[in-house]
Amino acid sequence: MKNILFTCLFCLGTMFNYAQKKPNILFIAIDDLRPELGCYGSEIAITPNMDKLASEGLLFNNAYCQQAICGPSRASLMTGVRPSTSGVTHNYIRFREKLPQVNTIAQHFNSNGYQSVYYGKIFHHGDEDEISWTRPQLKSNKKPVGFALPENNKIRKETREKMFAKYGEVAKYGLAMGPAYECADVPDDTYSDGLNTDLAIQTIKDMVKEDGKPFFLGLGFHKPHLNWVAPKKYWDLYNEEDIKLATQTTAPINGAEMGIHPSFELRVRSGIPKSGKLDKQLSITLKHAYLACVSYVDAQIGKVINALDEAGIKDNTIIVLWGDHGWHLGEMGIWGKATNYEIATRVPMMIYTPDMLAKNRGAKTNALVELVDIYPTLSDLAGIEIPKHLEGKSFKPLLKNPSKKWKKAVFSQFPSPALREWGAFPIRPAMRETYFGLLLKEVEDKIKLQQKEKWDRVLFENYLMGYAMRTDDYRFVIWKDSRNQDSKPVQIELFDHKIDPEETINIANEHPKLVSKLLKVFKKEWKKAHKSKGI
């Protein structure tokens, strides 16, 4: 009888401790994913697992990144500091160079009783910041591949040799990436996203067995970033006859010429024309490849969430899912990210919390939110202090009231996309000697023609920044010298989302009073959003 009583008391005590335990965090990052998901209204994307997560949590219809390129976007989210504050505005700046003492979100959770570990791409490549993580990663004897098919590896090798022979060292900056896509009949773990998912699932099992600290688990998926490689079964989910291409394939009328780039990132892939438009069949194949990668990643997300269920810990785990920026699939004539427009800056984002009100599960909010808001929100939801240096705002109140009045404006930025390499780095002189030379001359001539006496090579190539503000009704882009926030704008773009959601025409010149009003809104809200201190 005493043994039974002791066992019962022990079980009750364990249950009490579990109930008091801080929630685990599953932190899912997806590279280059635009809101091309069933839960966002896509008519073709097959994404049952992300759709299910959205049905159990809260989906954000109007979530935006702070810069539509991997490094700055991720650095901003992980540190809670905007690119304009940190100075991390291209992929070749390591955030610790600019913010050596900053506590990342993982470090903050570590300091509050958590263990942390990641798999895949959380920070940008080369910027993994190992001091942010406390738990060693599991290793696999299996090595993921970039391409599974021998012919694609051969193409990549031969192209690389050719580019280095022709252009020298500048070729290492992405001029030989191999084919843009691959459809191979292989298991999911052939590529890194499948293998990393398996390792994350085993780590969850190990942490549950240990019954130790709550965890912060980052799982970053590389796809649908180029190259678009995915197992054949995900390609087979789609019929190319059903794939519809973008209808708006030209730059915005009266738009800023420096805001439109010639798809540098895609053109370095084998089999892609180095200039001119892509033909219809190639465009369909490329979109098919992108969709196959989205479905491949969706399947991995289903696996890891099922692992939480099977381990019995989903009811004590917060799940947040986000894309680091959007991607043009032919819209505005662009194949790539790296613009200040809606299609590149709007991202998918959703969150599941165990204690959400039942009536709000599956809700969608139209509130304007930003990736920089994730750090304070997770801190808030976990019941730990929100660091003072953060420039985002906790959207925890939206989980209780998705229609609550929220931000008046959110912000993104990007330096002259037409005159930057695909990592947002200023054009290297040697790059002009490659096949990009003609493309650069074309865009440069358009900018000179538009800007006339305003053209200044040093300014436009190195310091001109497009600062984009999104309100409920408008996208407002101010192009000006980043060295002087009080400088006069070189150009302004204004798009009315009430009547022009695809941003086809810049109406700034026709509406000077509205521009004046929005300039005042920009100045006020920008100041409120940039409050970082104590870094």
Side-chain angles (χ1 to χ4, degrees), residues 291-366:
L291 290 166
C293 287
V294 172
S295 292
Y296 169 47
V297 167
D298 181 78
Q300 311 317 305
I301 290 169
K303 292 176 187 177
V304 75
I305 293 177
N306 286 341
L308 295 178
D309 259 331
E310 291 171 4
I313 59 171
K314 186 180 177 185
D315 286 343
N316 192 44
T317 301
I318 295 167
I319 305 171
V320 63
L321 180 151
W322 52 274
D324 59 352
H325 42 70
W327 225 85
H328 293 251
L329 290 169
E331 292 86 0
M332 299 185 179
I334 296 172
W335 289 82
K337 51 215 177 219
T339 75
N340 275 310
Y341 299 114
E342 186 84 359
I343 202 75
T345 59
R346 181 170 171 250
V347 300
M349 188 168 82
M350 57 190 78
I351 190 166
Y352 161 90
T353 65
D355 58 354
M356 277 185 69
L357 297 174
K359 68 177 183 178
N360 288 339
R361 293 198 181 277
K364 298 180 179 182
T365 177
N366 291 321

Coordinates of all heavy atoms in Angstrom, one line a residue, residues 291-366:
L291 N 7.8 24.4 -56.7 CA 6.7 23.8 -56.0 C 7.1 22.4 -55.4 O 6.7 22.0 -54.3 CB 5.5 23.6 -56.9 CG 4.8 25.0 -57.3 CD1 3.9 24.7 -58.5 CD2 4.1 25.5 -56.1
A292 N 7.9 21.6 -56.2 CA 8.3 20.3 -55.7 C 9.1 20.5 -54.4 O 9.0 19.7 -53.4 CB 9.1 19.6 -56.8
C293 N 10.0 21.5 -54.4 CA 10.8 21.7 -53.2 C 9.9 22.2 -52.0 O 10.2 21.8 -50.9 CB 11.8 22.8 -53.5 SG 13.2 22.2 -54.5
V294 N 8.9 23.0 -52.3 CA 8.0 23.4 -51.2 C 7.3 22.2 -50.6 O 7.2 22.0 -49.4 CB 7.0 24.4 -51.7 CG1 5.9 24.7 -50.7 CG2 7.6 25.7 -52.1
S295 N 6.8 21.3 -51.4 CA 6.2 20.1 -50.9 C 7.1 19.1 -50.2 O 6.7 18.5 -49.2 CB 5.5 19.3 -52.1 OG 4.4 20.1 -52.6
Y296 N 8.4 19.1 -50.7 CA 9.4 18.3 -50.0 C 9.6 18.8 -48.6 O 9.6 18.0 -47.6 CB 10.7 18.4 -50.9 CG 11.9 17.8 -50.2 CD1 12.0 16.6 -49.6 CD2 13.1 18.6 -50.3 CE1 13.2 16.1 -49.0 CE2 14.3 18.1 -49.8 CZ 14.3 16.9 -49.1 OH 15.5 16.4 -48.6
V297 N 9.8 20.1 -48.5 CA 10.0 20.7 -47.1 C 8.7 20.5 -46.3 O 8.8 20.2 -45.1 CB 10.3 22.2 -47.3 CG1 10.2 22.9 -45.9 CG2 11.7 22.3 -47.8
D298 N 7.5 20.6 -46.9 CA 6.3 20.4 -46.1 C 6.2 19.0 -45.5 O 5.8 18.9 -44.4 CB 5.1 20.6 -47.1 CG 3.8 20.5 -46.3 OD1 3.4 21.4 -45.6 OD2 3.2 19.4 -46.5
A299 N 6.7 18.0 -46.3 CA 6.7 16.7 -45.7 C 7.6 16.5 -44.5 O 7.3 15.8 -43.6 CB 7.1 15.7 -46.8
Q300 N 8.7 17.2 -44.6 CA 9.7 17.1 -43.4 C 9.1 17.8 -42.2 O 9.3 17.3 -41.1 CB 11.0 17.8 -43.8 CG 11.6 17.4 -45.1 CD 11.6 15.9 -45.4 OE1 12.1 15.1 -44.6 NE2 11.0 15.5 -46.5
I301 N 8.4 18.9 -42.4 CA 7.7 19.6 -41.3 C 6.7 18.7 -40.7 O 6.6 18.6 -39.4 CB 7.1 20.9 -41.8 CG1 8.2 21.9 -42.1 CG2 6.2 21.5 -40.7 CD1 7.8 23.2 -42.9
G302 N 6.0 18.0 -41.5 CA 5.0 17.0 -40.9 C 5.7 16.0 -40.1 O 5.1 15.6 -39.0
K303 N 6.8 15.5 -40.5 CA 7.5 14.5 -39.7 C 7.9 15.0 -38.4 O 7.8 14.3 -37.3 CB 8.8 14.0 -40.5 CG 8.5 13.2 -41.8 CD 9.8 12.9 -42.5 CE 9.6 12.3 -43.8 NZ 10.9 12.1 -44.6
V304 N 8.5 16.2 -38.3 CA 9.0 16.7 -37.0 C 7.9 17.0 -36.1 O 8.0 16.8 -34.9 CB 10.0 17.9 -37.3 CG1 9.3 19.1 -37.6 CG2 10.9 18.1 -36.0
I305 N 6.8 17.5 -36.6 CA 5.6 17.8 -35.7 C 5.0 16.5 -35.2 O 4.6 16.4 -34.0 CB 4.6 18.7 -36.4 CG1 5.2 20.1 -36.7 CG2 3.3 18.9 -35.6 CD1 4.3 21.0 -37.5
N306 N 5.0 15.5 -36.1 CA 4.5 14.2 -35.6 C 5.4 13.6 -34.5 O 4.9 13.0 -33.6 CB 4.4 13.2 -36.8 CG 3.3 13.5 -37.7 OD1 2.3 14.2 -37.4 ND2 3.4 13.0 -38.9
A307 N 6.7 13.9 -34.6 CA 7.6 13.5 -33.6 C 7.3 14.1 -32.2 O 7.4 13.5 -31.2 CB 9.0 13.8 -34.0
L308 N 6.9 15.4 -32.2 CA 6.5 16.0 -31.0 C 5.3 15.3 -30.4 O 5.2 15.1 -29.2 CB 6.1 17.5 -31.2 CG 7.3 18.4 -31.7 CD1 6.7 19.8 -31.9 CD2 8.4 18.5 -30.6
D309 N 4.3 15.0 -31.2 CA 3.1 14.3 -30.8 C 3.4 12.9 -30.2 O 3.0 12.6 -29.1 CB 2.1 14.1 -32.0 CG 1.0 15.1 -32.0 OD1 0.6 15.6 -30.9 OD2 0.5 15.4 -33.1
E310 N 4.3 12.2 -30.9 CA 4.6 10.8 -30.5 C 5.4 10.9 -29.2 O 5.3 9.9 -28.4 CB 5.4 10.1 -31.6 CG 4.6 9.8 -32.8 CD 5.4 9.3 -34.0 OE1 6.7 9.1 -33.8 OE2 4.9 9.1 -35.1
A311 N 6.1 11.9 -29.0 CA 6.9 12.0 -27.7 C 6.1 12.6 -26.6 O 6.5 12.6 -25.4 CB 8.1 13.0 -28.0
G312 N 4.8 13.0 -26.9 CA 3.9 13.5 -25.9 C 4.3 14.9 -25.4 O 3.9 15.3 -24.3
I313 N 4.9 15.7 -26.2 CA 5.3 17.0 -25.7 C 4.8 18.2 -26.6 O 5.1 19.3 -26.4 CB 6.9 17.2 -25.7 CG1 7.5 16.9 -27.1 CG2 7.5 16.2 -24.6 CD1 9.0 17.2 -27.1
K314 N 4.0 17.9 -27.6 CA 3.4 18.9 -28.4 C 2.6 19.9 -27.5 O 2.6 21.1 -27.8 CB 2.6 18.4 -29.5 CG 2.1 19.5 -30.5 CD 1.2 18.9 -31.6 CE 0.7 20.0 -32.5 NZ -0.2 19.5 -33.6
D315 N 1.9 19.4 -26.5 CA 1.1 20.2 -25.6 C 1.9 21.1 -24.7 O 1.4 21.9 -23.9 CB 0.2 19.3 -24.8 CG -1.0 18.8 -25.6 OD1 -1.2 19.3 -26.7 OD2 -1.6 17.8 -25.2
N316 N 3.3 21.0 -24.8 CA 4.1 21.9 -24.1 C 5.2 22.5 -25.0 O 6.3 22.8 -24.6 CB 4.8 21.2 -22.9 CG 5.4 22.3 -21.9 OD1 4.8 23.3 -21.6 ND2 6.6 22.0 -21.5
T317 N 4.8 22.7 -26.3 CA 5.8 23.2 -27.2 C 5.1 24.3 -28.1 O 4.1 24.1 -28.6 CB 6.3 22.0 -28.2 OG1 6.9 21.0 -27.4 CG2 7.3 22.6 -29.2
I318 N 5.8 25.4 -28.2 CA 5.5 26.5 -29.1 C 6.1 26.2 -30.4 O 7.3 26.0 -30.4 CB 5.9 27.9 -28.5 CG1 5.1 28.2 -27.2 CG2 5.7 29.0 -29.5 CD1 5.7 29.3 -26.4
I319 N 5.4 26.3 -31.5 CA 5.9 26.1 -32.8 C 5.8 27.4 -33.6 O 4.7 27.9 -33.8 CB 5.2 25.0 -33.6 CG1 5.2 23.7 -32.8 CG2 5.9 24.7 -34.9 CD1 4.3 22.6 -33.3
V320 N 6.9 27.9 -34.1 CA 6.8 29.1 -34.9 C 7.5 28.7 -36.3 O 8.5 28.1 -36.3 CB 7.5 30.3 -34.3 CG1 9.0 30.1 -34.1 CG2 7.3 31.6 -35.2
L321 N 6.9 29.1 -37.3 CA 7.3 28.8 -38.7 C 7.4 30.1 -39.5 O 6.5 30.9 -39.5 CB 6.4 27.8 -39.4 CG 6.8 27.4 -40.8 CD1 6.2 25.9 -41.0 CD2 6.2 28.3 -41.9
W322 N 8.6 30.3 -40.1 CA 8.8 31.6 -40.9 C 9.6 31.3 -42.1 O 10.5 30.5 -42.1 CB 9.4 32.7 -40.0 CG 10.6 32.2 -39.3 CD1 10.7 31.6 -38.1 CD2 12.0 32.4 -39.7 NE1 12.0 31.4 -37.7 CE2 12.8 31.9 -38.7 CE3 12.6 33.0 -40.8 CZ2 14.2 31.9 -38.8 CZ3 14.0 33.0 -40.9 CH2 14.8 32.5 -39.9
G323 N 9.4 32.2 -43.1 CA 10.3 32.2 -44.3 C 11.1 33.5 -44.2 O 10.7 34.5 -43.7
D324 N 12.4 33.4 -44.7 CA 13.3 34.5 -44.5 C 13.0 35.7 -45.4 O 13.4 36.8 -45.2 CB 14.7 34.1 -44.5 CG 15.2 33.5 -45.8 OD1 14.3 33.2 -46.7 OD2 16.4 33.2 -45.9
H325 N 12.3 35.4 -46.6 CA 11.9 36.5 -47.5 C 11.1 35.8 -48.6 O 11.0 34.5 -48.7 CB 13.1 37.2 -48.1 CG 14.2 36.4 -48.5 ND1 14.2 35.5 -49.5 CD2 15.5 36.2 -47.9 CE1 15.3 34.8 -49.6 NE2 16.1 35.2 -48.6
G326 N 10.5 36.6 -49.5 CA 9.8 36.0 -50.6 C 10.6 35.7 -51.8 O 11.9 35.7 -51.7
W327 N 10.0 35.5 -52.9 CA 10.7 35.2 -54.2 C 9.9 35.5 -55.4 O 8.7 35.0 -55.5 CB 11.1 33.7 -54.2 CG 12.5 33.4 -54.6 CD1 13.6 33.4 -53.7 CD2 13.0 33.1 -55.9 NE1 14.7 33.1 -54.5 CE2 14.4 32.9 -55.8 CE3 12.4 32.9 -57.1 CZ2 15.2 32.5 -56.9 CZ3 13.2 32.5 -58.2 CH2 14.5 32.3 -58.1
H328 N 10.4 36.2 -56.3 CA 9.7 36.4 -57.6 C 9.8 35.2 -58.5 O 11.0 34.7 -58.8 CB 10.4 37.6 -58.4 CG 10.2 38.9 -57.7 ND1 9.4 39.9 -58.2 CD2 10.8 39.5 -56.6 CE1 9.5 41.0 -57.5 NE2 10.4 40.8 -56.5
L329 N 8.7 34.7 -58.9 CA 8.7 33.6 -59.9 C 8.2 34.1 -61.2 O 7.2 33.7 -61.8 CB 7.8 32.4 -59.4 CG 8.3 31.6 -58.2 CD1 7.3 30.7 -57.7 CD2 9.6 30.8 -58.6
G330 N 8.9 35.1 -61.7 CA 8.6 35.7 -63.0 C 7.8 37.1 -62.8 O 7.7 37.8 -63.8
E331 N 7.3 37.3 -61.6 CA 6.6 38.6 -61.4 C 7.6 39.8 -61.7 O 8.7 39.7 -61.2 CB 6.1 38.7 -60.0 CG 4.9 37.7 -59.7 CD 5.4 36.3 -59.3 OE1 6.6 36.1 -59.2 OE2 4.5 35.4 -59.0
M332 N 7.1 40.8 -62.3 CA 7.9 42.0 -62.7 C 9.1 41.6 -63.6 O 10.0 42.4 -63.8 CB 8.4 42.7 -61.5 CG 7.3 43.2 -60.6 SD 7.9 44.2 -59.2 CE 6.4 44.7 -58.4
G333 N 9.0 40.4 -64.2 CA 10.1 40.0 -65.1 C 11.3 39.5 -64.3 O 12.4 39.2 -64.9
I334 N 11.1 39.3 -63.0 CA 12.3 38.9 -62.1 C 12.1 37.4 -61.7 O 11.0 36.9 -61.3 CB 12.3 39.7 -60.9 CG1 12.6 41.2 -61.3 CG2 13.4 39.2 -59.9 CD1 12.5 42.2 -60.1
W335 N 13.2 36.7 -61.7 CA 13.3 35.4 -61.0 C 14.3 35.5 -59.9 O 15.5 35.5 -60.1 CB 13.7 34.3 -62.0 CG 12.6 34.0 -63.0 CD1 12.3 34.7 -64.1 CD2 11.7 32.9 -62.9 NE1 11.3 34.1 -64.8 CE2 10.9 33.0 -64.0 CE3 11.5 31.8 -62.0 CZ2 9.8 32.1 -64.3 CZ3 10.5 30.9 -62.2 CH2 9.7 31.0 -63.4
G336 N 13.8 35.7 -58.7 CA 14.8 35.9 -57.6 C 14.1 36.7 -56.5 O 13.0 37.1 -56.5
K337 N 14.9 36.9 -55.4 CA 14.5 37.7 -54.3 C 15.0 39.1 -54.5 O 15.0 39.6 -55.6 CB 14.9 37.1 -53.0 CG 16.4 36.8 -52.9 CD 16.7 35.5 -52.1 CE 18.1 35.1 -52.1 NZ 18.3 33.7 -52.2
A338 N 15.5 39.7 -53.4 CA 16.3 40.9 -53.6 C 15.7 42.1 -54.2 O 16.3 42.8 -55.1 CB 17.6 40.6 -54.3
T339 N 14.4 42.4 -53.8 CA 13.8 43.7 -54.2 C 13.1 44.3 -53.0 O 13.0 43.6 -51.9 CB 12.8 43.5 -55.3 OG1 11.6 42.9 -54.8 CG2 13.3 42.7 -56.5
N340 N 12.5 45.4 -53.1 CA 11.8 46.1 -52.1 C 10.3 45.9 -52.3 O 9.5 46.6 -51.6 CB 12.1 47.6 -52.0 CG 13.4 47.9 -51.2 OD1 13.5 47.4 -50.1 ND2 14.3 48.6 -51.7
Y341 N 9.9 45.1 -53.2 CA 8.5 44.9 -53.6 C 7.8 43.9 -52.7 O 8.4 43.1 -52.0 CB 8.3 44.7 -55.0 CG 8.9 45.8 -55.9 CD1 10.0 45.6 -56.7 CD2 8.3 47.1 -55.8 CE1 10.5 46.7 -57.4 CE2 8.9 48.2 -56.5 CZ 10.0 48.0 -57.3 OH 10.5 49.0 -58.0
E342 N 6.5 43.9 -52.8 CA 5.6 43.0 -52.0 C 6.0 41.5 -52.1 O 6.1 40.8 -51.2 CB 4.2 43.1 -52.4 CG 3.2 42.4 -51.5 CD 2.8 43.1 -50.2 OE1 3.4 44.2 -49.9 OE2 2.0 42.5 -49.4
I343 N 6.3 41.1 -53.4 CA 6.5 39.7 -53.7 C 7.8 39.2 -53.0 O 7.9 38.0 -52.7 CB 6.5 39.4 -55.2 CG1 6.2 38.0 -55.5 CG2 7.8 39.9 -55.8 CD1 4.8 37.6 -55.3
A344 N 8.8 40.1 -52.8 CA 10.0 39.7 -52.2 C 10.1 39.9 -50.7 O 10.8 39.2 -50.0 CB 11.2 40.4 -52.8
T345 N 9.3 40.8 -50.2 CA 9.4 41.2 -48.7 C 8.3 40.5 -47.9 O 8.5 40.3 -46.7 CB 9.3 42.7 -48.5 OG1 8.0 43.2 -49.1 CG2 10.4 43.4 -49.2
R346 N 7.2 40.1 -48.5 CA 6.1 39.4 -47.7 C 6.5 38.0 -47.5 O 6.9 37.3 -48.5 CB 4.8 39.5 -48.5 CG 3.6 38.9 -47.7 CD 2.3 39.3 -48.4 NE 1.2 38.5 -47.8 CZ 0.5 37.5 -48.5 NH1 0.9 37.2 -49.7 NH2 -0.4 36.9 -47.9
V347 N 6.3 37.5 -46.3 CA 6.7 36.1 -46.0 C 5.6 35.3 -45.3 O 4.7 35.9 -44.7 CB 7.9 36.1 -45.0 CG1 9.1 36.9 -45.6 CG2 7.6 36.8 -43.7
P348 N 5.7 34.0 -45.4 CA 4.8 33.2 -44.6 C 5.2 33.1 -43.2 O 6.4 33.0 -42.9 CB 4.9 31.8 -45.3 CG 6.3 31.8 -45.8 CD 6.6 33.2 -46.2
M349 N 4.3 33.2 -42.3 CA 4.6 33.1 -40.8 C 3.4 32.6 -40.1 O 2.2 33.0 -40.4 CB 5.0 34.4 -40.3 CG 5.6 34.3 -38.8 SD 6.4 35.8 -38.3 CE 5.0 36.8 -37.8
M350 N 3.6 31.6 -39.2 CA 2.5 31.1 -38.4 C 3.0 30.6 -37.1 O 4.2 30.3 -37.0 CB 1.8 29.9 -39.1 CG 2.6 28.8 -39.5 SD 1.8 27.6 -40.7 CE 1.9 28.4 -42.2
I351 N 2.1 30.6 -36.1 CA 2.6 30.2 -34.8 C 1.5 29.3 -34.1 O 0.3 29.6 -34.2 CB 2.9 31.4 -33.9 CG1 3.6 31.0 -32.6 CG2 1.7 32.3 -33.6 CD1 4.3 32.2 -31.9
Y352 N 2.0 28.3 -33.4 CA 1.1 27.4 -32.6 C 1.5 27.5 -31.2 O 2.7 27.4 -30.9 CB 1.2 26.0 -33.1 CG 0.7 24.9 -32.1 CD1 -0.6 24.5 -32.1 CD2 1.6 24.4 -31.2 CE1 -1.0 23.6 -31.2 CE2 1.2 23.4 -30.3 CZ -0.1 23.0 -30.3 OH -0.5 22.1 -29.4
T353 N 0.6 27.7 -30.3 CA 0.9 27.7 -28.8 C -0.1 26.8 -28.2 O -1.3 26.7 -28.6 CB 0.8 29.1 -28.2 OG1 -0.5 29.6 -28.2 CG2 1.7 30.1 -28.9
P354 N 0.3 26.0 -27.2 CA -0.6 25.0 -26.6 C -1.8 25.6 -25.9 O -2.8 25.0 -25.8 CB 0.3 24.3 -25.5 CG 1.7 24.5 -26.0 CD 1.7 25.9 -26.7
D355 N -1.6 26.9 -25.4 CA -2.7 27.5 -24.6 C -3.6 28.5 -25.4 O -4.3 29.3 -24.8 CB -2.2 28.2 -23.4 CG -1.1 29.2 -23.7 OD1 -0.8 29.4 -24.9 OD2 -0.7 29.9 -22.8
M356 N -3.5 28.4 -26.7 CA -4.3 29.3 -27.5 C -5.8 29.0 -27.3 O -6.2 27.9 -27.0 CB -4.1 29.1 -29.0 CG -2.9 29.9 -29.6 SD -2.8 29.7 -31.4 CE -4.2 30.6 -31.9
L357 N -6.6 30.1 -27.3 CA -8.0 29.9 -27.2 C -8.6 29.1 -28.4 O -8.2 29.3 -29.5 CB -8.7 31.3 -27.2 CG -8.4 32.2 -26.0 CD1 -9.1 33.6 -26.3 CD2 -8.9 31.6 -24.7
A358 N -9.5 28.2 -28.1 CA -10.0 27.3 -29.1 C -10.6 28.0 -30.3 O -10.4 27.7 -31.5 CB -11.0 26.3 -28.5
K359 N -11.3 29.1 -30.0 CA -11.9 29.9 -31.0 C -10.9 30.6 -32.0 O -11.3 31.0 -33.1 CB -12.8 31.0 -30.4 CG -12.1 32.1 -29.6 CD -13.1 33.1 -29.1 CE -12.4 34.3 -28.4 NZ -13.3 35.3 -27.9
N360 N -9.7 30.7 -31.5 CA -8.7 31.4 -32.4 C -7.8 30.4 -33.2 O -7.0 30.8 -34.0 CB -7.8 32.3 -31.5 CG -8.6 33.5 -31.1 OD1 -9.6 33.9 -31.6 ND2 -8.1 34.2 -30.0
R361 N -8.0 29.1 -32.9 CA -7.2 28.2 -33.6 C -7.6 28.1 -35.1 O -8.8 28.0 -35.4 CB -7.3 26.8 -33.0 CG -6.6 26.7 -31.6 CD -6.3 25.3 -31.2 NE -5.7 25.3 -29.9 CZ -4.4 25.5 -29.6 NH1 -3.6 25.7 -30.6 NH2 -3.9 25.5 -28.4
G362 N -6.7 28.3 -36.0 CA -7.1 28.4 -37.4 C -7.4 29.8 -37.9 O -7.7 30.0 -39.1
A363 N -7.3 30.7 -37.0 CA -7.6 32.1 -37.4 C -6.4 32.7 -38.2 O -5.3 32.2 -38.2 CB -7.8 33.0 -36.1
K364 N -6.8 33.7 -39.0 CA -5.8 34.5 -39.8 C -5.9 35.9 -39.4 O -7.0 36.5 -39.3 CB -6.1 34.3 -41.3 CG -5.9 32.9 -41.8 CD -6.2 32.7 -43.3 CE -6.1 31.3 -43.7 NZ -6.3 31.1 -45.2
T365 N -4.8 36.5 -39.2 CA -4.8 38.0 -38.8 C -4.2 38.8 -39.9 O -3.2 38.4 -40.6 CB -4.0 38.2 -37.5 OG1 -4.0 39.6 -37.3 CG2 -2.6 37.7 -37.6
N366 N -4.8 39.9 -40.1 CA -4.3 40.9 -41.2 C -3.4 41.9 -40.6 O -3.0 42.9 -41.2 CB -5.5 41.6 -41.9 CG -6.3 40.6 -42.7 OD1 -5.7 39.7 -43.4 ND2 -7.6 40.7 -42.7

